Amino acid sequence: MNSIKYIFLLLSVATCMISCSREKFADMNTDPDDVLTVAPELEFTSALTAINSADFEYYYDYNRAMYYWTQTFVAMNGAPATVYDGTGNLNQRYSNFYTHVGNQLKDVQQLIEKKSGDDRIKYTYLHAITYIPLAYYASYVSDVQGSIPYTEAFLARYTGLLTPKYDAQDVLFDTLQAQLKRSVAILKSSPTVAQANLGSQDVYFGGKISYWIKAANSLRLRLAMRLVNRDAAKMQSLVQEILADDGGLISSNDENWQFESAITYAKGGNYNPESNGNVSGARNYVDFMANTADPRIRIFFQPSFTKDEFDSAHAQKIIPDSVKWDGKQYRGQFANPDKSKDSTVNYYYSELKFSYKGASVKKRWVSEIQDSLFYNPTALHSITFPIITYADVCFMRAELAVRGLTNEDAQSLYYAGITASVSAYDRMGKIAGVTGYKALSAAEVSAYLAQTGVKYDPANALEQICVQEYINSFRNQNEAWATIKRTGFPSKTGNILQREPVVVDSDEKVMPRRFAVSYPSVSDLNYANRLAAIESMVKVSGFSTPDDIKGRVWWDTAN
């Protein structure tokens, strides 16, 4: 695989800051030349690992919000009525960008720019590479925030600028496309000096420059597709340019842009989606996977009742007589809180206690998630954090083809995407040590591709592709959420996989589409720029009021 599994973070800068006197620390912050003496490669490693090390982000943004909003997860005892309301702790990624990711990538750039001669030239590639994760994380923050400081951000240490302007999302997207394009051009060039070997300092690709080129182009494609409803003509122009680039796109699972962690990583409970109680998949989600014999289901979820257990519970009237064995061991929970009022499905909501082979047994009707896919309390396994994978690229290209925006073969790309996704999750489950792991077989994949709802159907091709994009994003819920916002799929009226209406006291809830944006305090040093950014966003149709999480950022204009 492309990623580095055993990573030891070098804490030279942090150690110095802790051990130095307060006066020395003040001097270093006054004089950037003092603090910026660490090797660029080491600072680069720290910046990359910071992308997935903000455990509060997983606790609040993922495990308390996005997984439920996308109807991927539901609490095993039913969806809480407040899940669509959000919490005040959402948007942890915003602070992570400015205090751990973006600032360190800017440090790498500054470290390199202060060098001269051959010592500067040997970092040509690394300097260009830094803009790729920077662009990724900036777009990731903007997805839920809208306007953000970018072109003038991270400059206080070097220029004294403490009041950076905010880049509107449309301007930001243009900037990121230009920076990524420039990085690709530089990485395809031939510097006059041998380049610094990143090796294990590059936790994604081990220093493989061709992989970074493909990652940058793949990110450009993802950002272009955000424009499908906002500016389809511009999107098509960008797509044609990107697909024509001879650097290519991610083209195999070996090239996946993802972080496979060391076995000491993601140990904290904040990574655990079940930190506040057991979690199942949403009923329609799990049922679709079970009905189509999706091999990924055993990586995502744990099996529930066996046939023998069902028969025992059924005979003891623990399960209603009307419920017959359906041959399935995977079942999801209702996403609609009002369904808990239906007495005919009480067995979905409680722990079922019955006697089985002479022993007292407690079982849930619905399937629990494979929590070890997300966190690693035993420090024995490796957790995977995907950013853009080969499957993602296949589905994007398939979607573009079925929309008539390219001449590529949508069906072949669709099948390639599914095959790549199943294979990638098979590896994720294996190295994460999921309960009852069993390696996939080629026969399973072939059988899955032939299932109704999965077998390519030109009449439903767009929905099929988008549903598979959504399922493939099980470990990257920002993209599952983006797929729903971009395409409307899964939809409440879909032919392949339907979203459940969510009703609370006769009021149907609407899926949130961004995080809240707060007005600045008058004491905020950057008050004027923050206020101007909010006033500008409020004028964008659909944005609504800043605190309305059902409002939309600039690119989110349909469905």
Side-chain angles (χ1 to χ4, degrees), residues 297-316:
I297 198 169
R298 63 179 181 263
I299 304 299
F300 293 5
F301 307 107
Q302 299 180 40
S304 181
F305 278 80
T306 65
K307 174 65 164 60
D308 285 348
E309 289 170 338
F310 173 87
D311 288 342
S312 293
H314 199 258
Q316 295 168 55

Side-chain angles (χ1 to χ4, degrees), residues 203-223:
V203 303
Y204 293 129
F205 301 122
K208 297 181 179 71
I209 301 304
S210 63
Y211 287 17
W212 275 111
I213 291 171
K214 292 183 176 186
N217 281 334
S218 299
L219 178 56
R220 290 192 69 199
L221 187 64
R222 174 177 283 175
L223 294 180

Side-chain angles (χ1 to χ4, degrees), residues 86-99:
T87 73
N89 291 315
L90 291 175
N91 204 5
Q92 295 288 321
R93 68 182 72 174
Y94 187 89
S95 61
N96 193 45
F97 183 46
Y98 294 103
T99 60

Side-chain angles (χ1 to χ4, degrees), residues 495-523:
N495 297 319
I496 305 299
L497 169 60
Q498 292 188 352
R499 285 174 58 80
E500 271 188 75
V502 174
V503 180
V504 179
D505 296 329
S506 301
D507 177 32
E508 184 168 348
K509 293 288 187 177
V510 177
M511 182 188 76
R513 304 182 81 95
R514 61 169 173 82
F515 294 156
V517 177
S518 58
Y519 277 106
S521 163
V522 292
S523 62

